[in-house]
Amino acid sequence: MTSETAQLTIDGVVYELPVVESSTGEKAVDIRSLRNQTGCITLDSGYMNTGSCISNITYLDGERGILRYRGYDIADLAKNCIFIEVAYLLLTGELPTYDELEVFKRDMRRYALIHEDMIHFFDHFPPNSSPMSILSTMVGTLHDFYPEMDLDEDPYGGITTTTARLLSKIRTIAAFSYKKNVGHPLVYPRVDLNYCSNFLNMMFDRPIMPYNVEPLMVSALNKILILHADHEQNCSTSAVRLVGSSGAGLYPSISAGINALWGPLHGGANVAVLRLLETIRADGGTIDKYIARAKNPDDPFRFSGFGHRVYKTYDPRATIVKEICHDIMSSLEIQDPLLDLAMEIEEKISKDEYFISRNLYPNVDFYSGIIYRAMGIPTNMFTVMFALGRLPGWIAHWQEMNNNKESRRIGRPRQVYQGVAHRPYVALERRQ
Ligand code: ACO
């Protein structure tokens, strides 16, 4: 709390509201007492100006293109860490020591299997089910298969067995959903492989075509998951916090986050980008036609992969994703016409007044799909990959919310009602 106050005048009466300051100097008007003091509420559709909580996890400055987890720049983490090291950081607040990381790695291996009865569930989803619906369902059912998990009270370094198990098992669920989708036998997790290698092996190993884990792919996957690991109060994280605020356990809360991520304006954008690139290519690569559509106010079409609610400059994650994309393509000598098309689109859009004036830059999803394609991951799994990456952030926010008396309050926005104020009941026989 600062000594500053904000003054608000309603009907000639001046109210003083406290001003709170973030550790990086941004100010916020604290309206927690507003309704008690004034009888008024605030209206903020889309929560464009609403801070829903005080958080210590991730710092984002959309004007300057800064993203930091627990104070560390995203570029440093992506360059130097493996994914579960960053997961540990998000969950505990500190990077692990060598020994702590070894324990965490051991637990990722130890908890990788899922209950055998859960495997029958995969058989009963209709063919071509969305891997996102399978993922959210299976994560929800963990609550029933591991009921004791929500109750354990034995955290090491702030990480409970519950969270370690969820982080580990989600990979297995994701890979199994893919295997079922393509009709291949399931590949169980291996005790000798680390987090990302194990996932790639479960995805791509086949009885007659053994998979050789490619270090470049492992490194790229580690980086891309790190870039997605948290992004403060976005739509899915807010969903996790909101559902969790009702007292729902970790699994139902994370399941809600997965569903919120699914939409094309959020995590589903990586699928939408690939589909758009394929459409434009099939249409003869006519970029201008699609740019004109994006600019037409009467056409709901948008360029997926461009724009962001908070970034008003280049998304720092997009810069790194683009580099990873080029590294993979050149190291593996992969020619992908969709990458050339994506670069051409970015080039055109970066010079177009419509996009410049609205601060519409590529976001993290613009190039990520091209990397996933190079890894052999099918388009319908892209948003699942995002969920794997975002999981530590969701869990960290769920924990933070539960450990804080103030933010543990049930999330319950108000509304400005503009329907009919009141009218007398009309009996059925008298209604026209
Ligand atoms: N293509 C064309 N025009 C766009 C785009 C786009 N991708 N994004 C925004 N605009 C335009 C809007 O039409 C609007 O124009 P107007 O002022 O003339 O009406 C203006 O830019 C502002 O857009 P809003 O929708 O008000 O911005 P908002 O902050 O609500 O939306 C969002 C952000 C949802 C990300 C939006 O930019 C979008 O739809 N982008 C495409 C989907 C996408 O890539 N989503 C992934 C986001 S990153 C993530 O979740 C991981």
Side-chain angles (χ1 to χ4, degrees):
M1 199 78 71
T2 65
S3 53
E4 282 176 81
T5 54
Q7 290 189 337
L8 177 69
T9 309
I10 304 174
D11 293 337
V13 182
V14 179
Y15 300 93
E16 300 270 340
L17 293 165
V19 171
V20 287
E21 201 172 288
S22 76
S23 49
T24 46
E26 292 92 351
K27 290 179 182 169
V29 179
D30 181 346
I31 58 156
R32 283 175 287 187
S33 65
L34 183 71
R35 191 162 179 277
N36 278 347
Q37 273 198 66
T38 67
C40 291
I41 60 165
T42 55
L43 177 62
D44 186 21
S45 315
Y47 309 122
M48 309 272 286
N49 305 288
T50 296
S52 62
C53 60
I54 290 172
S55 179
N56 297 333
I57 302 171
T58 287
Y59 172 65
L60 200 173
D61 181 332
E63 272 73 33
R64 292 191 294 155
I66 296 174
L67 176 64
R68 294 182 191 137
Y69 300 160
R70 304 283 191 185
Y72 294 103
D73 278 327
I74 188 69
D76 284 343
L77 295 172
K79 186 168 168 218
N80 298 304
C81 293
I82 57 172
F83 172 60
I84 61 158
E85 209 176 339
V86 171
Y88 191 101
L89 169 71
L90 287 166
L91 294 169
T92 67
E94 298 298 334
L95 284 167
T97 62
Y98 181 84
D99 288 346
E100 286 165 340
L101 187 58
E102 286 306 300
V103 172
F104 198 37
K105 281 183 183 169
R106 184 206 63 200
D107 280 354
M108 291 301 106
R109 293 193 287 269
R110 180 196 278 181
Y111 297 126
L113 282 168
I114 55 171
H115 195 295
E116 277 294 306
D117 287 351
M118 286 182 78
I119 291 167
H120 303 307
F121 282 31
F122 288 101
D123 294 328
H124 298 287
F125 282 96
N128 302 320
S129 292
S130 158
M132 282 299 274
S133 81
I134 298 178
L135 190 73
S136 71
T137 307
M138 297 305 262
V139 167
T141 60
L142 285 174
H143 181 79
D144 305 306
F145 281 97
Y146 300 91
E148 78 284 7
M149 289 164 70
D150 274 347
L151 304 175
D152 64 11
E153 291 294 339
D154 185 23
Y156 59 91
I159 296 178
T160 62
T161 311
T162 308
T163 56
R165 281 177 171 152
L166 177 56
L167 274 167
S168 184
K169 289 184 194 313
I170 198 166
R171 286 173 306 176
T172 314
I173 294 172
F176 281 12
S177 70
Y178 166 68
K179 286 294 196 191
K180 281 288 173 190
N181 186 266
V182 289
H184 293 174
L186 302 181
V187 175
Y188 279 58
R190 270 174 39 188
V191 80
D192 58 318
L193 293 179
N194 280 331
Y195 196 91
C196 288
S197 327
N198 224 336
F199 173 71
L200 290 172
N201 191 65
M202 282 191 278
M203 286 282 291
F204 299 122
D205 192 49
R206 293 164 73 175
I208 47 157
M209 283 169 71
Y211 178 72
N212 289 322
V213 179
E214 165 65 58
L216 187 71
M217 292 299 184
V218 176
S219 160
L221 183 57
N222 267 296
K223 287 188 196 326
I224 204 158
L225 294 183
I226 289 170
L227 296 178
H228 285 89
D230 194 39
H231 212 231
E232 52 117 301
Q233 312 308 321
N234 55 84
C235 174
S236 55
T237 303
S238 299
V240 169
R241 278 186 178 258
L242 189 64
V243 171
S245 77
S246 74
L250 181 65
Y251 304 123
S253 306
I254 298 298
S255 184
I258 294 169
N259 286 321
L261 188 73
W262 198 341
L265 296 189
H266 191 17
N270 54 17
V271 175
V273 170
L274 240 285
R275 301 243 188 273
L276 177 60
L277 292 174
E278 281 162 351
T279 306
I280 297 177
R281 186 156 178 260
D283 198 9
T286 48
I287 302 171
D288 292 339
K289 173 175 151 190
Y290 290 87
I291 291 186
R293 282 191 64 191
K295 291 175 41 169
N296 179 354
D298 299 325
D299 188 335
F301 172 80
R302 282 187 170 195
F303 250 105
S304 298
F306 280 83
H308 198 276
R309 169 59 63 79
V310 286
Y311 289 118
K312 299 306 162 205
T313 178
Y314 215 95
D315 179 341
R317 303 166 303 169
T319 316
I320 305 167
V321 168
K322 197 172 162 183
E323 280 166 22
I324 304 170
C325 194
H326 284 291
D327 281 357
I328 287 206
M329 296 306 197
S330 59
S331 305
L332 301 181
E333 294 179 7
I334 300 172
Q335 298 290 329
D336 187 343
L338 294 192
L339 175 61
D340 299 333
L341 185 58
M343 284 168 31
E344 208 184 318
I345 290 171
E346 188 192 339
E347 173 73 14
K348 283 213 165 189
I349 281 183
S350 70
K351 295 187 178 130
D352 191 295
E353 190 44 39
Y354 173 92
F355 291 88
I356 296 169
S357 63
R358 288 169 179 76
N359 296 315
L360 300 171
Y361 297 89
N363 57 49
V364 68
D365 283 326
F366 190 60
Y367 287 102
S368 64
I370 294 167
I371 302 177
Y372 291 141
R373 251 165 78 94
M375 286 178 174
I377 293 169
T379 311
N380 66 355
M381 283 289 290
F382 288 1
T383 315
V384 169
M385 301 305 297
F386 194 151
L388 295 191
R390 185 53 55 86
L391 182 62
W394 287 334
I395 301 175
H397 283 274
W398 185 87
Q399 285 178 346
E400 187 178 71
M401 189 243 347
N402 273 291
N403 292 336
N404 181 314
K405 197 162 160 274
E406 169 73 17
S407 63
R408 205 170 55 214
R409 281 207 172 119
I410 187 163
R412 206 304 185 184
R414 287 181 179 266
Q415 62 169 9
V416 175
Y417 176 72
Q418 290 192 338
V420 178
H422 187 223
R423 47 183 161 173
Y425 173 74
V426 181
L428 182 58
E429 59 279 12
R430 297 217 317 271
R431 281 176 226 157
Q432 304 285 331

